[in-house]
Amino acid sequence: MERIASFSVDHRVLEPGVYVSRRDSDAATGCTTTTFDLRMTAPNREPVMDTAAVHAIEHLGATFLRNDAEWSGRVIYFGPMGCRTGFYLVAFGELESTDVADLVRRMFAFIRDFEGEIPGAKPEECGNYHDNDLVQAKWWARRYMADTLEVLDEAHTHYPALLG
């Protein structure tokens, strides 16, 4: 089998950033989608996010994206990586990291500043409503904003190295 794109990135040197993970074109519709790697921690060198924080970020991020006036119709998916070092954002279009940088900044500012009940975190709305931690989610959002998104440069929008 062929190695999938995300396993081709050398995680030993990967840093937090906003990376284009892959692009797919559907021959039947002519539609292109872009998957972004919203990497929040340095893999294998920093602690991973707790599942309760990841879950809260997922709920808040998805709510923000589905309500964004400009992007709601273009976003296909937002969800966590299994390794808990970041999130995937999938959108319609042949896009670059710079195309979504402002959207990602606004989303994480929303999470960082959120007050109140986490949307969709009631037993009738969520399959694991207990496992949400708003305090941790806000901490991770603050960190990602300050350390990565507010100083995002070209080195953190293009993967540093691919495995052979």
Side-chain angles (χ1 to χ4, degrees), residues 20-94:
V20 172
S21 177
R22 63 184 285 172
R23 285 194 188 88
D24 293 296
S25 294
D26 181 55
T29 64
C31 182
T32 299
T33 60
T34 304
T35 301
F36 294 95
D37 171 337
L38 308 182
R39 191 66 60 155
M40 296 178 66
T41 73
N44 304 310
R45 298 181 309 281
E46 293 183 312
V48 299
M49 293 177 280
D50 183 78
T51 57
V54 168
H55 195 191
I57 291 169
E58 177 197 15
H59 277 242
L60 292 165
T63 298
F64 174 84
L65 293 166
R66 297 289 185 227
N67 286 281
D68 186 77
E70 180 185 355
W71 284 90
S72 64
R74 296 179 69 186
V75 170
I76 299 167
Y77 173 78
F78 173 73
M81 297 175 180
C83 60
R84 294 181 289 144
T85 63
F87 290 82
Y88 287 116
L89 170 64
V90 184
F92 288 112
E94 188 169 329

Side-chain angles (χ1 to χ4, degrees), residues 72-114:
S72 64
R74 296 179 69 186
V75 170
I76 299 167
Y77 173 78
F78 173 73
M81 297 175 180
C83 60
R84 294 181 289 144
T85 63
F87 290 82
Y88 287 116
L89 170 64
V90 184
F92 288 112
E94 188 169 329
L95 304 167
E96 297 294 336
S97 297
T98 53
D99 296 323
V100 297
D102 182 61
L103 173 68
V104 174
R105 282 186 198 101
R106 290 187 292 113
M107 176 174 60
F108 278 92
F110 171 80
I111 296 166
R112 177 196 64 201
D113 300 338
F114 187 82

Side-chain angles (χ1 to χ4, degrees), residues 95-151:
L95 304 167
E96 297 294 336
S97 297
T98 53
D99 296 323
V100 297
D102 182 61
L103 173 68
V104 174
R105 282 186 198 101
R106 290 187 292 113
M107 176 174 60
F108 278 92
F110 171 80
I111 296 166
R112 177 196 64 201
D113 300 338
F114 187 82
E115 297 293 334
E117 289 186 30
I118 297 169
K122 295 179 181 166
E124 64 271 20
E125 300 168 327
C126 179
N128 190 11
Y129 77 100
H130 288 295
D131 193 29
N132 275 289
D133 189 327
L134 181 59
V135 172
Q136 279 192 60
K138 291 171 68 141
W139 185 89
W140 282 107
R142 247 188 331 274
R143 179 182 186 261
Y144 191 46
M145 285 289 295
D147 295 352
T148 304
L149 298 177
E150 291 174 355
V151 294

